[in-house]
Amino acid sequence: MNILQVTGAVELGLIYSLVALGVYLSFKILQFPDLTVDGSFPLGAAVSVSLISVGVNPIWATLAAFAAGGLAGFVTAILSTKFKVTDLIAGIITMTALYSINIRIMGGKSNVSIMDKQTVISQLKLFFQLLFDSYALSAMLIVFVGLIVLSCYYFLSSQYGLAIRATGNNARMARANGISDGRMIQVGLAASNGLVALAGSLFGQESAFSDVNLGIGTIVAGLAAVILGETILPSKRLIYQILACVLGAIVYRFIIAFALNADDLGLEPTDLNLITAIILASAMIFSRYKKGLSQ
Amino acid sequence: MFTKFITRLAFLFLLIDSSFAKTVGIIQIIEHPALDATRQGIIDRLKKTDPTLKIVWRSAQGTLATSVQLAQKFVGQKVDAIVALGTTSAQAATKVAQGTTIPVVFASVTDPKSAGLVGLAAGVSNFVDVDQQLSSIQRILPNLTRLGIIYSPGEANSEKLIKLTQEYCKNKGIELVCSVAMKPMDVMMATKKLAGTVDAIFINNDNTALAAFPTIVKIADETRTPVFASDADLIKSGAVSVLGPDQYEIGVQTADVLTEILKTALGSRVLLVEYPKSVDLYFNKDKAAALGLSIDPSLTYKDLS
């Protein structure tokens, strides 16, 4: 593996760690299997890239992406809490609708390019390049994700955050204590999909294009990251659980990078997904085995 | 002793040889018969023009993030050139290779301008003049009043072609009936909507429709509706006529663009976008007869019956 692949895996891992955090928030904390993320990831990219392509300040474009993701999560939550649609189906409904909505956001096109425009990434890169040279993007993302991790931690440790965690833990008990579980799910899913859309926005700005098919496999990547992180860094403490999501996302990218380098084993290029699956399975089994030995 | 010497010498030769041999990395966004044919054309042509060239091809298997990591792999490996098949792999490769001296050559990108590739990458666009295609359909079916088209709105290639098709049909007074399919699974329903209500069905470069082409032909045949396509390989899958390039030949053309770029020095490289050199009218007489079509004898075509 070359150095560019390493930094690339770290950078992509950091961007996707926001997806992992979003998935952690919905699947683990709220116990809500939210499939909206396959739609909110490209939503973030579509909103940001479309706004940047018409000259909007990239910072506003990024914030708009977060808000759009929040709205998407809110819609899923409303479907589930107010209209009593099963959680899984509610997510699928929103995800399906978002495909067409994303095309509309991109002005009827399925692909928008901003190769020549300034983005949040390019602006901040200039600043970071002074200190970190070619590692500017990685450094920038570490700072950014670090801020998000701390924000998540403090949010989930606050009164509001504890109420959200209580809702996921035992909704009836939470209700008995005066917590509006419907409201908690709405806020939780909005935050979760906001984070995923933010990740999509960063991805779109870094790649300089947005495509409606960007979201395919997002939920898989997110869940793999969360579970991988949980296996590598098991802990009951919240901060470590949050950091495990980031770690899992980065490790997942490394696994794919390794799979891409498995040239000489006589396998076909079309076996990539199979190789990724085998490495992922081995990593999980090895970690469990190691834990079993130490007990 | 002697064998040790020979092995060492051979090893040394291998090292020297590998440092002179150039490497080309091919990134394919997804496996698909048309893309596979283009890739094969590229590989076969490159092997003929430069047998010492090391060709590495990888598929992102449909996931965009993987194509970004693939581009990172190749750029980090410092390959001599990257070939990208498909719009999103071309965009990813161009972005990752920005700032390096590695040229990116693309194929199977219908609209390089909207994709932001012009000036940054060279390649062969698979855009075929829609007007030419539609006028050839009119020549075969002079009484054409309703034309059906199946596509996915999620494909960058299709939306541009749809707009041009709509313009042509408006000018010529043909009613265009659009049928949308999000995934290859939906193509059957999309075709059923059209079959029997239109005079002909036209399929352009849309990957979703192409993936389920046999289904389209099967349903269209039941109502004796002729199916026109844009890729010569589809004649054997049941299309009655195609005005278009051969996907394999596009690959060959792309390989030539690549060879030309690799030959020129860094400073004097010109990144051009080419269009398919050979566009022919392919026709299947037997299929036409089976559908009950009578053909204008003055029509010249390549017979693929």
Side-chain angles (χ1 to χ4, degrees):
Chain A
M1 211 186 294
N2 55 67
I3 193 70
L4 188 61
Q5 276 190 285
V6 173
T7 54
V10 172
E11 287 157 14
L12 266 177
L14 285 168
I15 292 178
Y16 273 88
S17 68
L18 297 178
V19 175
L21 278 174
V23 168
Y24 170 75
L25 200 53
S26 55
F27 275 76
K28 289 277 165 186
I29 300 239
L30 277 173
Q31 300 290 317
F32 189 108
D34 181 21
L35 293 180
T36 317
V37 300
D38 263 28
S40 13
F41 188 79
L43 175 67
V47 168
S48 290
V49 170
S50 304
L51 287 176
I52 289 175
S53 72
V54 291
V56 173
N57 186 317
I59 300 190
W60 288 119
T62 314
L63 290 172
F66 183 82
L71 192 58
F74 186 70
V75 168
T76 306
I78 292 289
L79 280 172
S80 172
T81 57
K82 286 265 170 356
F83 295 103
K84 306 291 182 234
V85 177
T86 318
D87 39 22
L88 210 53
I89 306 290
I92 292 174
I93 290 175
T94 315
M95 165 185 66
T96 312
L98 278 173
Y99 191 89
S100 306
I101 292 173
N102 288 338
I103 296 180
R104 277 203 171 242
I105 290 174
M106 292 196 275
K109 295 161 62 160
S110 66
N111 182 305
V112 174
S113 167
I114 47 166
M115 213 48 104
D116 47 348
K117 295 274 198 313
Q118 283 278 47
T119 65
V120 156
I121 305 269
S122 58
Q123 287 173 340
L124 286 172
K125 234 188 192 169
L126 289 170
F127 171 69
F128 275 82
Q129 243 158 3
L130 297 170
L131 294 165
F132 298 99
D133 197 35
S134 54
Y135 299 107
L137 183 61
S138 309
M140 192 201 101
L141 283 170
I142 290 176
V143 171
F144 189 74
V145 172
L147 285 170
I148 304 260
V149 163
L150 287 170
S151 318
C152 278
Y153 178 64
Y154 283 115
F155 174 65
L156 287 171
S157 308
S158 69
Q159 282 281 59
Y160 215 79
L162 285 169
I164 290 182
R165 288 159 71 185
T167 307
N169 195 293
N170 189 334
R172 286 183 72 181
M173 193 60 169
R175 263 198 306 260
N177 279 305
I179 297 172
S180 161
D181 58 337
R183 171 61 52 85
M184 292 305 125
I185 291 181
Q186 285 159 20
V187 171
L189 285 186
S192 158
N193 284 283
L195 280 173
V196 173
L198 191 59
S201 163
L202 289 175
F203 185 89
Q205 292 184 59
E206 168 56 15
S207 312
F209 73 93
S210 156
D211 188 286
V212 72
N213 297 308
L214 213 52
I216 297 176
T218 308
I219 188 68
V220 171
L223 281 172
V226 171
I227 295 174
L228 202 55
E230 211 177 49
T231 313
I232 299 176
L233 189 61
S235 171
K236 288 231 179 335
R237 292 187 56 185
L238 182 65
I239 186 64
Y240 287 127
Q241 286 185 348
I242 294 179
L243 285 171
C245 295
V246 178
L247 186 65
I250 297 177
V251 170
Y252 183 67
R253 288 296 142 197
F254 269 100
I255 289 180
I256 294 185
F258 272 120
L260 286 174
N261 284 354
D263 294 22
D264 312 310
L265 293 164
L267 293 159
E268 296 294 320
T270 47
D271 294 328
L272 173 63
N273 278 352
L274 179 63
I275 300 168
T276 311
I278 292 175
I279 299 179
L280 190 58
S282 313
M284 303 282 290
I285 294 170
F286 181 70
S287 306
R288 289 274 148 82
Y289 187 62
K290 218 172 57 161
K291 255 201 305 190
L293 278 180
S294 65
Q295 273 167 359
Chain B
M1 269 307 286
F2 187 63
T3 38
K4 243 197 186 170
F5 173 72
I6 290 292
T7 345
R8 290 228 180 99
L9 205 65
F11 190 60
L12 209 64
F13 266 115
L14 266 161
L15 275 177
I16 298 174
D17 177 65
S18 63
S19 61
F20 283 158
K22 294 204 170 157
T23 319
V24 171
I26 303 181
I27 303 177
Q28 190 172 338
I29 181 65
I30 193 168
E31 279 93 319
H32 175 279
L35 283 181
D36 292 341
T38 309
R39 181 195 77 233
Q40 205 51 56
I42 295 173
I43 293 178
D44 290 348
R45 181 67 170 176
L46 285 178
K47 283 214 181 110
K48 261 204 234 133
T49 52
D50 187 355
T52 64
L53 202 60
K54 183 160 180 264
I55 305 170
V56 180
W57 88 265
R58 288 282 180 273
S59 163
Q61 304 217 290
T63 311
L64 238 149
T66 309
S67 67
V68 174
Q69 286 191 266
L70 263 174
Q72 287 163 349
K73 172 186 151 78
F74 285 144
V75 172
Q77 255 178 266
K78 295 207 178 57
V79 296
D80 295 282
I82 296 180
V83 178
L85 297 166
T87 307
T88 49
S89 26
Q91 289 172 313
T94 309
K95 191 62 179 39
V96 176
Q98 217 172 29
T100 68
T101 59
I102 302 174
V104 173
V105 178
F106 60 79
S108 298
V109 175
T110 305
D111 192 353
K113 188 148 171 280
S114 302
L117 297 169
V118 174
L120 297 170
V124 180
S125 158
N126 60 353
F127 175 75
V128 180
D129 191 357
V130 173
D131 287 2
Q132 251 192 309
Q133 286 180 305
L134 293 169
S135 66
S136 78
I137 296 179
Q138 276 194 301
R139 280 204 69 188
I140 296 174
L141 297 176
N143 301 321
L144 181 74
T145 48
R146 283 170 65 93
L147 181 66
I149 190 161
I150 304 171
Y151 71 103
S152 164
E155 292 195 29
N157 288 349
S158 294
E159 47 185 310
K160 179 169 196 222
L161 295 171
I162 289 292
K163 274 202 202 90
L164 292 167
T165 314
Q166 278 167 335
E167 262 174 50
Y168 181 92
C169 288
K170 207 163 65 156
N171 290 340
K172 300 285 178 168
I174 302 173
E175 193 188 335
L176 184 67
V177 185
C178 294
S179 196
V180 156
M182 292 297 180
K183 301 182 292 294
M185 211 164 57
D186 304 327
V187 172
M188 184 166 77
M189 296 302 292
T191 319
K192 287 210 171 135
K193 176 184 157 197
L194 294 175
T197 66
V198 292
D199 301 318
I201 296 180
F202 177 53
I203 307 291
N204 56 26
N205 279 329
D206 189 275
N207 286 321
T208 309
L210 288 175
F213 193 76
T215 313
I216 299 174
V217 169
K218 184 158 164 288
I219 298 172
D221 281 350
E222 283 166 20
T223 54
R224 298 186 100 195
T225 312
V227 179
F228 294 84
S230 307
D231 174 10
D233 289 323
L234 293 170
I235 295 274
K236 46 179 183 298
S237 302
V240 69
S241 170
V242 166
L243 180 75
D246 188 335
Q247 295 298 329
Y248 182 89
E249 292 301 322
I250 287 186
V252 171
Q253 198 179 337
T254 311
D256 289 340
V257 171
L258 178 65
T259 315
E260 191 57 43
I261 288 194
L262 283 177
K263 276 205 294 222
T264 30
L266 197 60
S268 39
R269 280 186 187 155
V270 185
L271 297 170
L272 287 174
V273 174
E274 291 187 7
Y275 290 88
K277 274 198 198 120
S278 58
V279 175
D280 288 305
L281 179 64
Y282 300 87
F283 194 75
N284 188 337
K285 274 210 307 262
D286 297 334
K287 185 79 184 187
L291 290 168
L293 298 172
S294 57
I295 303 308
D296 177 359
S298 66
L299 192 67
T300 51
Y301 52 82
K302 278 194 172 175
D303 197 352
L304 285 183
S305 304

